[in-house]
Amino acid sequence: MRKTKKSLAIVAIVAMVLSLVPLYAFGATAATTSGTRLYGADRYQTAVNVAEAGWSGGASSAILAPGMDANLVDALTAAPLAKQLNAPILLTQGDQLTGVTKDELTKLGVKTVYVVSGAISQAVISQLQQTMTVVNLGGADRFATAANIAAKITGASGVVVTNYDANADALSVASIAAVKGMPILLALPGSIPAAEQAYVPASGAN
C-alpha cells in the first residue's frame, strides 16, 4: 500500500511539473486553459498531451527532461527556461528515447532540444542529434545541472533556492520562478554547492 501511494504521489508531481507555468504564459489560447483535464496513460504520454494542448501550432524548441523518479527535480529546475523559450517540457527514459516523446518532437517540428539532465544518456543525445540541434545542459549531478540551466536564463533579477531532495518544495516555487524568469538552484542543508555558488553572484542575488 505504501509503495502504491508513493507511486501515485510521483505521478501527481509529474503532472504538476508539466503544468507548472499556466499555458497562457506560453501563448496558448484561452480555450486551452478553460479547465480541460490533461493526462495520459503514463507520465510520458501526459507530457505529450500537455504539449499537444499548449503548442498546437508546433514549437521550434523543447525541453527534454528525465522521467525517472530519482531525477524529476531536473524537470522542475527547467521550468523557467521552458517559459523563456516558450517550449514544452517532454520526458524520456534515461537509456533510450521514449517512443511517444520521439514522435511528439517530430510532430511539433522541434529544431532545438535542451537536454536538462546528466541522467539522459549519450545514446539518447546521439539519436536526437540525427535530426535536430541538441543543447546539453546535463551536469555531473543535479546541482551542476541546475547551474547550467540557470546560466541560460537571461535578464534574471534574482534566483530561487530550494531543497535539493524535496520535489514538493521545488514544485511549490517553480511556477512563480518561471513567470518571473528566476532560475531555480538546489541547496544542500546549510550550504549551496560550489557549482551553483559560481552562478549566484552573477545573478545579483543575495
Side-chain angles (χ1 to χ4, degrees), residues 52-71:
E52 289 282 315
W55 290 266
S56 58
S60 61
S61 299
I63 302 291
L64 187 64
M68 300 84 74
D69 295 351
N71 306 105

Side-chain angles (χ1 to χ4, degrees), residues 65-110:
M68 300 84 74
D69 295 351
N71 306 105
L72 286 176
V73 72
D74 293 336
L76 288 164
T77 54
L81 181 61
K83 168 61 169 59
Q84 177 174 291
L85 296 172
N86 188 22
I89 298 176
L90 295 172
L91 302 177
T92 185
Q93 295 161 302
D95 58 350
Q96 62 181 349
L97 183 59
T98 305
V100 293
T101 301
K102 178 183 177 182
D103 292 344
E104 185 64 12
L105 288 167
T106 300
K107 183 175 181 179
L108 290 171
V110 171

Side-chain angles (χ1 to χ4, degrees), residues 152-187:
K152 288 291 183 180
I153 305 298
T154 59
S157 58
V159 298
V160 170
V161 179
T162 189
N163 195 327
Y164 82 102
D165 66 348
N167 286 340
D169 289 345
L171 178 64
S172 66
V173 299
S175 181
I176 189 65
V179 170
K180 290 183 175 294
M182 298 173 66
I184 301 172
L185 301 181
L186 304 174

